[in-house]
Amino acid sequence: MPFIQQSTSGPVAGSTEYFAPITVTGAQTATLLPGETADVTLTFTNPNSNVRAQLTSIAAGDVVVDTVANADDMTYCHGQIELSTVGVGPLPTLDLSQANLPFVLPAAVKLKEDSDIRCQGMTFHTTWTVQAEGPRVFRTGF
């Protein structure tokens, strides 16, 4: 019968990767008259030098009315703005440390057809939620 031995290693340290959130800024491309739409351009930056950022979803957030001629009309005018992500094409992957990648959301903001004069000159801003995951960058040729 052979001699059988068993050995156990000491502690083996491990860690997980850190994936910092991407930054997102945005701009609406046009002012609106009733029934019109405007594109929104979101600009993405991946602060990670070790992990790409694969965008997985973009969702419309909220409309915030900043100013309207008569404060009593704020609720009405808020309800006159619609947000949409219909027509958004394939979502991009941001490379390592990639900055300022523009992405257009077509016809993302609409002023309803039946909006009346109470919303004339209104200013507002919109929010958009972007989700991304950090896929591993596999390097070859070393």
Side-chain angles (χ1 to χ4, degrees):
M1 175 156 266
F3 293 126
I4 298 175
Q5 294 196 15
Q6 179 175 316
S7 298
T8 301
S9 72
V12 175
S15 64
T16 61
E17 193 67 75
Y18 180 74
F19 180 55
I22 63 171
T23 57
V24 182
T25 58
Q28 182 175 310
T29 59
T31 56
L32 300 171
L33 289 170
E36 292 183 338
T37 62
D39 296 346
V40 168
T41 299
L42 299 178
T43 302
F44 307 117
T45 295
N46 179 10
N48 299 286
S49 62
N50 56 336
V51 180
R52 293 178 300 157
Q54 168 61 56
L55 275 58
T56 57
S57 70
I58 297 176
D62 196 12
V63 174
V64 178
V65 175
D66 299 313
T67 62
V68 66
N70 182 340
D72 293 338
D73 295 328
M74 194 164 285
T75 300
Y76 167 78
C77 290
H78 178 272
Q80 296 303 302
I81 302 292
E82 297 176 336
L83 303 180
S84 173
T85 58
V86 173
V88 172
L91 299 177
T93 297
L94 282 72
D95 207 355
L96 305 178
S97 301
Q98 184 171 4
N100 301 319
L101 176 69
F103 187 79
V104 176
L105 305 175
V109 179
K110 180 179 182 177
L111 182 59
K112 289 182 180 178
E113 186 78 35
D114 63 351
S115 295
D116 64 33
I117 197 76
R118 292 178 284 176
C119 299
Q120 175 179 282
M122 167 179 62
T123 62
F124 59 91
H125 64 273
T126 58
T127 60
W128 303 86
T129 300
V130 179
Q131 288 189 335
E133 61 184 30
R136 173 63 63 198
V137 176
F138 292 101
R139 299 176 190 216
T140 60
F142 290 99

